[in-house]
């Protein structure tokens, strides 16, 4: 059974700092891994999708990497801003290709 | 291009009543997924549907819960005889046809917050 773990559960940093969010999964048989952002009381915004055959994806200040063999993904945020404050979720698409398996998220707070 | 639309945003029901949650996928999307987020827990998959077909309902409770995605109209998640433990945020996601979520990201709505009195 696929389990997704995110560390740390919460993170507070000053504005401008570069940071890394970690995601690990127990079953390497995933089709892809997706990173989301969730603001309080809101839905999920898709940030990056990494296919199982890819190693990383980049969008602006965000870079996500995937290492299937070790069961790890990281989300790197460069030059953090207060507007980056949110909960970041990673999710792996199960082997059947039908369901995303989510971690519990990392709640990020960036202070100005 | 409007995103995934869910309504209502908030729904209050008394124990024993029925709750109907609606989801209109993004234009051009024919795959719909429902997830539930319980307080202090992560999102959990419930069901995956294509037009008129349930593909995977492995995450849906066997009793009181049902889902449909008719040929015309939104997808409906129906909860009969609600109990306090059904209080949660219910999220719908959609993806385009073809290889579904394998090559395409799932796009989420803002959710329906269900409260049971």
């Amino acid at each position: 059974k696929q389990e997704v773990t995110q560390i740390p559960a919460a993170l507070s940093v000053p504005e401008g700092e570069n940071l890394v969010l970690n995601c690990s999964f127990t079953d390497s048989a995933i089709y892809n891994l997706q990173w989301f952002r969730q603001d309080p009381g809101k839905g999920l915004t898709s940030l990056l999708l990494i296919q199982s055959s890819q190693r990383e994806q980049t969008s602006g200040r965000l870079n996500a990497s995937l290492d299937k063999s070790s069961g790890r993904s990281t989300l790197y945020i460069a030059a953090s801003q207060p507007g980056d404050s949110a909960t970041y979720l990673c999710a792996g698409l199960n082997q059947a290709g039908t369901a995303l398996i989510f971690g519990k998220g990392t709640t990020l707070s960036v202070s100005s | 291009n409007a995103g995934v639309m869910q309504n209502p945003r908030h729904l209050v029901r008394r124990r024993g009543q029925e709750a109907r949650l609606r989801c209109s996928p993004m234009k051009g999307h024919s795959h719909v997924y429902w997830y539930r987020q319980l307080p202090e827990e992560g999102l959990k998959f419930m069901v995956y549907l294509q037009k008129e077909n349930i593909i995977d309902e492995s995450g849906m409770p066997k009793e009181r819960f049902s889902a449909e995605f008719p040929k015309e109209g939104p997808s409906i998640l129906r909860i009969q005889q609600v109990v306090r433990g059904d209080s949660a945020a219910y999220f719908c996601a959609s993806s385009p046809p073809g290889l579904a979520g394998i090559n395409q990201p799932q796009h989420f709505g803002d959710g329906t917050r269900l409260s049971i009195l």
Side-chain angles (χ1 to χ4, degrees):
Chain A
K1 180 183 174 184
Q2 178 73 274
E3 293 185 4
V4 177
T5 304
Q6 291 188 246
I7 295 174
L11 182 63
S12 293
V13 300
E15 183 176 8
E17 195 160 299
N18 302 324
L19 56 100
V20 175
L21 306 182
N22 296 293
C23 172
S24 61
F25 44 94
T26 54
D27 186 352
S28 63
I30 58 172
Y31 273 112
N32 60 45
L33 190 131
Q34 203 167 345
W35 282 92
F36 295 89
R37 167 187 173 136
Q38 185 176 26
D39 293 284
K42 296 289 188 179
L44 280 68
T45 300
S46 180
L47 298 174
L48 290 164
L49 171 71
I50 312 175
Q51 299 293 346
S52 61
S53 58
Q54 297 175 323
R55 297 282 298 190
E56 64 178 309
Q57 283 287 331
T58 298
S59 175
R61 295 183 293 109
L62 305 179
N63 176 277
S65 67
L66 175 63
D67 185 344
K68 282 187 63 178
S69 61
S70 66
R72 295 178 187 275
S73 177
T74 60
L75 179 67
Y76 175 81
I77 303 177
S80 58
Q81 303 171 358
D84 295 330
S85 298
T87 297
Y88 290 82
L89 300 165
C90 74
L93 188 67
N94 68 354
Q95 197 171 3
T98 58
L100 286 171
I101 311 301
F102 281 86
K104 290 187 177 181
T106 295
T107 299
L108 173 65
S109 176
V110 181
S111 56
S112 56
Chain B
N1 187 13
V4 177
M5 303 301 292
Q6 291 189 248
N7 67 80
R9 290 294 308 278
H10 301 274
L11 182 61
V12 179
R13 285 287 178 267
R14 296 188 181 279
R15 282 178 295 172
Q17 291 184 322
E18 178 179 288
R20 283 187 180 235
L21 288 62
R22 294 174 182 77
C23 170
S24 295
M26 288 181 68
K27 186 176 181 180
H29 286 193
S30 58
H31 301 267
V32 165
Y33 315 78
W34 286 93
Y35 295 83
R36 177 166 65 173
Q37 188 172 36
L38 292 165
E40 307 304 320
E41 293 195 21
L43 278 91
K44 304 290 185 186
F45 167 77
M46 299 182 75
V47 61
Y48 162 44
L49 310 101
Q50 296 177 17
K51 284 287 187 181
E52 299 184 281
N53 287 303
I54 295 175
I55 307 301
D56 181 354
E57 57 182 347
S58 60
M60 199 144 74
K62 294 290 186 285
E63 297 180 352
R64 300 188 298 107
F65 286 73
S66 62
E68 63 177 6
F69 187 19
K71 187 176 180 180
E72 301 291 338
S75 175
I76 305 289
L77 180 67
R78 181 183 179 204
I79 311 172
Q80 295 178 290
Q81 299 176 329
V82 296
V83 301
R84 289 239 171 92
D86 296 332
S87 295
Y90 292 81
F91 290 95
C92 170
S94 72
S95 63
L99 291 176
I102 294 176
N103 290 333
Q104 300 284 346
Q106 293 185 20
H107 297 270
F108 281 72
D110 281 344
T112 293
R113 271 79 182 164
L114 176 64
S115 298
I116 309 302
L117 303 179

